[in-house]
Amino acid sequence: MGVPIIIMFPVLLILTSREQWYPQFFVVARFWAKIVLYGCGFLPKVTKETQVDPTKSYMVVANHTSMTDIMFMLYCVKNPFVFVGKKELTKIPIFGFFYKRTCILVDRSSQKSRKEVFDRAHARLHDGTSICIFPEGGIPDDESIILDDFKDGAFRLAIDHQIPILPLTFFDSKKRFSYTFFSGSPGIMSGYIHTEIPTTGMTQKDKKGLKEKTRNVILNALEADNKNKM
């Protein structure tokens, strides 16, 4: 993960020095993600239920089970987006430096931090950049959990800006690279891009239903995949 960042350090440093250069940084970040995935022996395979409109802003969401979900999301989605993620990842050497400069960081224990996240996300969406949130809010400690409950943030923002939800399901991340030490293996890393879920005309009263609908889309795909592999 660190080697390609070191090699591309001057370019990354320049592209992260100004917010208006983020689309160019995003292209480089996608290239970095491919190097990491293939370098780890993971073979990404993405199936699309529908084509993603390159001119639209989305609220991109997916299930979260592995550190590789960040790289796999960059591989799957071509529309420039900004991650909303926990500040603890800034402690990762090298990676954390650019993560801090390009992502919207949240301290879940701080009400002020959560407010700042919404302000920064509003600004990015206003500029036409998509936002990516893993709505489970983190990786469950219990690896037997197929899909944890979703937090409200992604759906509140999507309704505020009347942008569609773009759900993705990651099937193999936990098997390829889990948080259990000495687990995982090279192989296919498959994902599925579902049809977008519109939010046009919705208000915050519709937030719970939107959240449940999105979660069911991802949960049904995970359960169907598990059944097929049994």
Side-chain angles (χ1 to χ4, degrees), residues 106-137:
V106 57
D107 178 357
R108 302 189 190 280
S109 64
S110 168
Q111 182 66 36
K112 180 182 177 182
S113 174
R114 292 198 293 270
K115 172 67 167 57
E116 289 173 350
V117 165
F118 277 99
D119 290 343
R120 290 191 62 194
H122 278 302
R124 287 301 191 124
L125 287 168
H126 182 73
D127 292 339
T129 305
S130 295
I131 296 291
C132 176
I133 297 178
F134 294 108
E136 291 169 275

Side-chain angles (χ1 to χ4, degrees), residues 199-210:
T199 62
T200 306
M202 287 188 178
T203 68
Q204 292 302 325
K205 293 181 180 179
D206 303 304
K207 179 176 61 183
K208 182 178 179 181
L210 177 64

Side-chain angles (χ1 to χ4, degrees), residues 86-105:
K86 54 188 179 182
K87 69 172 187 177
E88 288 81 2
L89 293 183
T90 61
K91 298 176 183 178
I92 299 175
I94 306 173
F95 169 83
F97 176 79
F98 289 105
Y99 181 82
K100 180 169 59 178
R101 289 166 69 92
T102 58
C103 299
I104 301 173
L105 305 181

Side-chain angles (χ1 to χ4, degrees), residues 164-220:
I165 303 287
L166 184 64
L168 284 79
T169 302
F170 296 161
F171 297 109
D172 305 303
S173 298
K174 187 188 298 184
K175 181 168 59 178
R176 298 278 82 87
F177 193 93
S178 79
Y179 270 66
T180 300
F181 204 56
F182 286 132
S183 68
S185 63
I188 292 175
M189 182 176 281
S190 55
Y192 192 86
I193 302 177
H194 299 274
T195 300
E196 66 184 65
I197 302 174
T199 62
T200 306
M202 287 188 178
T203 68
Q204 292 302 325
K205 293 181 180 179
D206 303 304
K207 179 176 61 183
K208 182 178 179 181
L210 177 64
K211 178 175 67 174
E212 291 177 350
K213 180 177 181 179
T214 305
R215 185 176 182 276
N216 285 335
V217 166
I218 297 174
L219 180 61
N220 290 340

Side-chain angles (χ1 to χ4, degrees), residues 53-80:
D53 188 341
T55 66
K56 291 173 70 170
S57 292
Y58 292 94
M59 177 58 66
V60 185
V61 301
N63 56 309
H64 192 23
T65 58
S66 169
M67 178 67 181
T68 59
D69 292 336
I70 294 173
M71 284 71 85
F72 194 37
M73 182 66 80
L74 286 166
Y75 180 91
C76 291
V77 179
K78 296 180 180 180
N79 294 36

